[in-house]
Amino acid sequence: MVSENERVAGNCAICDKETKTRCSACQSVFYCCVEHQKSDWSRHKNSCHPFKVESSPEFGRYLVASKDIKAGEIVLKESPLVCGPSQITPPVCVGCLQKIEEKRHTECERCGWLVCRRECQDLPGHKAECELTVARGEKVSVFKYFEAPHPTYQCLAVVRALLLRDSAPEKYEKLLKLESHDKERKETEQWELDSKHIADFIKRFFRCESRWSTDEILKVVGILQVNGHEVPLTVPGHIAVYNLASLIEHSCRNNVAKSFTKHGDIIFWAPNPIKRGERLSICYSDTMWGTNARQAHLKQTKFFVCNCERCEDVTELGTNFSALRCIGNAACDGLILPESLNQWKNSWRCGKCGASYDFKEVAQILAEATADLARLGKANDETCIDFIEKYSKKLSKNHYLLTEVRISLAQVIGQNGQMQRITDSKLFLKLETAKNLIELISNLAPAESRLLGVLHFEAHSALAEIARRGAAKKNPNFKGAYEESYHHAEQAIKYLKHEPSVLPEGRVLKQAKINAESLKIMLLQMA
């Protein structure tokens, strides 16, 4: 806490009296006494967050921590302004947004849109397009393509957003303030496709030529594309747009983690401490991709070039996450990388011997490795080990392709109840792989909470089995393995604490809690 005499004075939100006492949760509002704070809570609670909204011509609106945020603290929990099927999706239930099964579905009695069961037709999320479809005077007839993306569904989330103008004007006003990147999108082929397949389709299909202009529809399309979060609570995932959550900026080394409640509310939380004045960020791309892939994805979908500390450093914070080995010189154990972010597709140079490589050589190696990775399919431990052995000769130790395979390896060794049957060497390989990955990711992407939580659980599982075998052989060090196993279980709980039970990570969390409690009792008995 800041001492009383160091605080800047302000005026009480209730009586305007000068005071140095702030709301401890957000540090943004002053109160002269507890009674005034309590009386103002019904108004203040909707804006009481540990951040403030700032803006600049370069970045637009963004969020800045208004106080020191503790590790584990929730930064924001928010319900969506609108949610709906993804733009590219097979047929889904318009009520619960779960995938429609070919042999188990029905239609909304009023409008004809597919639902997985009769009660889904009455869920609130479907009301908007149901009424609009009924108003067109004819039920919709959805062609029964159950596996491939269905073109009719690409308009649904947009229609739901547009209908907020009449059904929830306050939400629609907030939605329209979000970034749509219309100027940048107009220069892409996607703009023409969206104009034809979404804007024109909505007007024709729903027989509402004059209800919304083409520009208004395309602006909403852009808002959904730029600000939409994929919500993994359904299969396939659906999209949702949130208000304040849309203001958090991007970084490839973000400081805020993202999760969801089982009801679809978004949760931003801090896996690690965040100091007052720090800008809050999530990763709009995939932190486990290399720089080139992240940049391409952000340029295509978010219309900007990332210049975060990780992208500007071609070594990616010393991890060499995208580096290749100096394969042209057998005597050299150096690594090759581009000179800078802006020269990624120019010549790459070895940092040790200075040898230069044309980017085509680099691309060829990466294409070969990527194709082999795709052929792994549902990987097992042996195929993972073979891939790692083959490409460790060409790629850096921490290369993103090797990292992807090692993540699989840490999970497949001993899976499906086989932990007690694997060899000691495989068991220690699992542990070493998980611990090395934890160290790497903690540096590269310290807010990658789901992955870190799962890897801590894998390390915990391996150590628990090592301890069990040690105890059976009367190894005096087995208690230390149990203690370390308990530590990793606690870390798994820390990183997965906000994961809902409907997600795989939520089920890992549940098991980690059970295992941690058992280990705690066991260790107390050993004391």
Side-chain angles (χ1 to χ4, degrees):
M1 294 289 291
V2 179
S3 65
E4 193 76 22
N5 59 7
E6 289 177 316
R7 290 178 181 163
V8 176
N11 297 97
C12 175
I14 296 298
C15 67
D16 208 34
K17 178 182 177 182
E18 187 173 296
T19 177
K20 293 183 178 180
T21 307
R22 301 172 186 250
C23 170
S24 61
C26 65
Q27 296 288 307
S28 298
V29 180
F30 291 88
Y31 296 103
C32 66
C33 60
V34 174
E35 288 73 20
H36 282 184
Q37 184 175 13
K38 287 181 178 179
S39 68
D40 194 42
W41 179 241
S42 60
R43 180 199 65 83
H44 177 53
K45 64 181 179 181
N46 294 323
S47 59
C48 185
H49 307 295
F51 59 78
K52 55 186 176 180
V53 180
E54 295 193 356
S55 64
S56 72
E58 182 180 1
F59 298 104
R61 292 183 293 169
Y62 56 91
L63 306 182
V64 176
S66 57
K67 67 164 195 170
D68 290 341
I69 299 173
K70 298 175 183 178
E73 185 174 345
I74 291 178
V75 175
L76 174 67
K77 181 180 177 183
E78 187 177 36
S79 300
L81 295 172
V82 65
C83 62
S86 298
Q87 189 169 340
I88 301 175
T89 180
V92 297
C93 171
V94 289
C96 67
L97 300 179
Q98 296 284 1
K99 185 179 178 183
I100 289 289
E101 296 181 18
E102 184 172 359
K103 297 181 180 180
R104 188 184 175 187
H105 69 276
T106 186
E107 297 176 356
C108 174
E109 295 172 313
R110 298 180 293 273
C111 66
W113 285 100
L114 298 183
V115 290
C116 60
R117 57 189 188 278
R118 183 63 64 199
E119 50 264 39
C120 280
Q121 71 178 17
D122 297 318
L123 291 176
H126 172 52
K127 182 180 179 182
E129 74 267 4
C130 184
E131 292 177 352
L132 188 64
T133 306
V134 170
R136 79 194 274 264
E138 182 182 355
K139 285 186 176 182
V140 65
S141 179
V142 177
F143 292 106
K144 308 299 193 296
Y145 299 122
F146 291 95
E147 298 301 325
H150 199 292
T152 307
Y153 282 81
Q154 65 184 329
C155 76
L156 267 184
V158 179
V159 165
R160 291 184 178 187
L162 289 165
L163 288 169
L164 291 176
R165 189 179 69 182
D166 300 322
S167 63
E170 289 185 5
K171 285 187 176 181
Y172 193 64
E173 184 179 353
K174 291 176 181 177
L175 188 80
L176 290 185
K177 288 180 180 179
L178 301 179
E179 182 61 73
S180 63
H181 284 297
D182 282 356
K183 181 180 179 181
E184 294 84 355
R185 288 170 50 243
K186 283 178 180 178
E187 299 176 2
T188 68
E189 182 182 356
Q190 189 63 44
W191 178 271
E192 296 301 324
L193 293 173
D194 290 342
S195 179
K196 177 180 178 182
H197 296 299
I198 299 181
D200 291 350
F201 177 82
I202 287 173
K203 291 185 173 187
R204 182 179 69 254
F205 183 79
F206 290 103
R207 299 169 186 170
C208 55
E209 287 289 334
S210 60
R211 185 161 186 172
W212 302 290
S213 68
T214 297
D215 285 346
E216 185 174 9
I217 295 173
L218 289 176
K219 179 177 179 64
V220 169
V221 170
I223 289 169
L224 265 62
Q225 289 176 352
V226 172
N227 301 280
H229 290 263
E230 182 178 0
V231 183
L233 302 175
T234 54
V235 178
H238 62 276
I239 65 162
V241 175
Y242 303 83
N243 181 31
L244 287 173
S246 296
L247 305 186
I248 194 165
E249 66 183 62
H250 162 81
S251 172
C252 296
R253 194 175 187 266
N254 48 300
N255 56 9
V256 170
K258 177 176 74 173
S259 189
F260 300 91
T261 70
K262 63 181 180 180
H263 302 296
D265 294 348
I266 200 167
I267 295 175
F268 286 157
W269 66 283
N272 304 290
I274 300 174
K275 292 183 178 180
R276 181 181 179 183
E278 281 189 47
R279 292 162 70 146
L280 306 182
S281 61
I282 60 171
C283 183
Y284 295 178
S285 188
D286 190 324
T287 58
M288 292 296 101
W289 289 352
T291 297
N292 193 41
R294 295 194 316 277
Q295 289 283 343
H297 176 252
L298 291 169
K299 185 67 176 174
Q300 181 180 0
T301 62
K302 307 300 181 183
F303 307 98
F304 70 85
V305 173
C306 178
N307 296 110
C308 72
E309 59 174 336
R310 179 177 167 188
C311 286
E312 285 291 334
D313 178 2
V314 293
T315 73
E316 300 192 54
L317 310 174
T319 64
N320 293 304
F321 201 58
S322 297
L324 273 62
R325 295 197 177 277
C326 185
I327 55 174
N329 184 350
C332 180
D333 60 357
L335 299 174
I336 64 170
L337 280 166
E339 295 289 336
S340 67
L341 175 62
N342 295 330
Q343 296 177 300
W344 202 270
K345 295 187 177 181
N346 295 342
S347 296
W348 286 34
R349 188 173 299 279
C350 176
K352 191 168 186 178
C353 72
S356 181
Y357 296 83
D358 189 88
F359 181 71
K360 290 181 180 179
E361 298 177 76
V362 174
Q364 184 175 349
I365 293 170
L366 293 176
E368 176 192 347
T370 302
D372 278 355
L373 178 58
R375 282 191 285 270
L376 285 182
K378 191 173 182 179
N380 57 51
D381 52 1
E382 293 302 329
T383 56
C384 287
I385 291 169
D386 289 344
F387 182 95
I388 292 168
E389 183 178 345
K390 177 179 179 180
Y391 284 102
S392 290
K393 300 170 184 175
K394 299 180 180 181
L395 308 176
S396 66
K397 180 184 72 172
N398 292 329
H399 193 276
Y400 60 86
L401 292 175
L402 291 176
T403 296
E404 182 177 344
V405 176
R406 287 194 177 102
I407 291 169
S408 296
L409 179 62
Q411 296 177 78
V412 298
I413 294 177
Q415 69 177 357
N416 299 325
Q418 298 299 306
M419 190 75 79
Q420 294 186 11
R421 300 183 182 182
I422 62 176
T423 63
D424 285 352
S425 61
K426 284 284 181 70
L427 185 57
F428 280 98
L429 176 60
K430 178 185 182 74
L431 176 60
E432 179 186 17
T433 301
K435 291 174 77 171
N436 287 341
L437 287 168
I438 290 168
E439 182 181 2
L440 169 66
I441 295 165
S442 295
N443 175 28
L444 192 67
E448 191 61 52
S449 57
R450 288 194 186 118
L451 182 52
L452 284 168
V454 168
L455 290 171
H456 274 291
F457 184 82
E458 297 300 340
H460 144 72
S461 301
L463 282 159
E465 177 58 20
I466 289 170
R468 188 194 68 81
R469 294 182 188 188
K473 296 176 182 178
K474 301 191 184 306
N475 185 323
N477 297 321
F478 78 92
K479 183 182 177 183
Y482 273 132
E483 290 172 339
E484 191 178 353
S485 178
Y486 176 71
H487 164 74
H488 282 287
E490 288 288 287
Q491 288 296 105
I493 294 168
K494 165 194 165 182
Y495 281 111
L496 301 176
K497 63 187 294 184
H498 297 297
E499 297 303 313
S501 59
V502 295
L503 294 182
E505 294 86 357
R507 294 190 284 274
V508 172
L509 170 64
K510 181 180 179 180
Q511 191 61 54
K513 287 180 176 179
I514 293 171
N515 294 2
E517 186 61 29
S518 297
L519 283 168
K520 184 178 180 180
I521 294 170
M522 183 186 300
L523 289 168
L524 285 172
Q525 292 172 345
M526 291 178 185

